[in-house]
Amino acid sequence: MPTYRIHLRRRNSVEPDMIGIVFPDLHRAYIETCRSIPETARDLLIDGADPMVCAYLICDDKGRQLMEVPFADVLSTAEIRVSRGAGGTRPTHQREPARDEAALISFRQIFARANAGCILLTPELVVKDINEYGRLHSHTDLEAVRDVYVLDAFDLAGPLKTILAKFWTLPQCGGTAQLVDMPYCVLDAAGNAINGWWSARAWPLVGDDGSVIGLAAWGEPSVTPRAGGKTAVLSA
């Protein structure tokens, strides 16, 4: 009887990491792979790795690749795919409180312990949560900005405000986006607040009916620019 294994492939890795779990059929391998992605993404973020460039490879017992499951495709919808694959059902429409709670659960599962500044917004771009690292390194009091429109919460104006608005356009439409070299106050190695830079990545959290229930971003501060100091938005 054939068996199936999963491998984790990271960007720039020569060989994928083999996961020591054997599955009796391809369907079960796919379901369990999707189920594990949020937790794996959280661990990758804690290690400083970008989960959006990783993928699981499902291979047969001869090592032949049968299926690729990119994290970028399923990260925000892993639970939904598992539910559908197992024959489960969920409401197709949610009122805003239920929608926001679902987004918050997903966000905290993935980002709470990440060593990067992470923020959760509603589809209306209202701040709902910031993880501990983000509160520390961005000098932001969550209670002061919760339920505040994000472009007002961070007190940006002029071209930077326009750039940040563009940054959120892609995830609102269901895509992912990268923001590089946004000037912002950061902490240096000694813990002093200095003028520095943030680079970030954002993607949508998607509900069971395919609608965007939240927008999540994670970013890292740097005392030196990563792309010459020219703030830009890129599609991921």
Side-chain angles (χ1 to χ4, degrees), residues 112-136:
R113 293 169 44 216
N115 293 329
C118 303
I119 183 172
L120 170 68
L121 306 180
T122 69
E124 298 81 26
L125 298 185
V126 171
V127 177
K128 282 299 177 183
D129 201 22
I130 302 173
N131 73 339
E132 185 63 33
Y133 188 99
R135 288 194 289 272
L136 173 64

Side-chain angles (χ1 to χ4, degrees), residues 1-8 17-37 40 56-62 66-67 69 82:
M1 179 180 295
T3 57
Y4 304 88
R5 294 178 182 269
I6 60 174
H7 304 252
L8 174 64
D17 302 324
M18 185 173 71
I19 310 300
I21 303 175
V22 177
F23 298 96
D25 61 75
L26 186 59
H27 174 73
R28 177 53 53 187
Y30 174 73
I31 293 298
E32 294 302 324
T33 294
C34 291
R35 193 191 304 275
S36 71
I37 282 176
T40 304
Y56 274 132
L57 309 178
I58 302 177
C59 301
D60 63 14
D61 51 9
K62 293 181 170 51
L66 303 178
M67 185 180 297
V69 187
V82 168

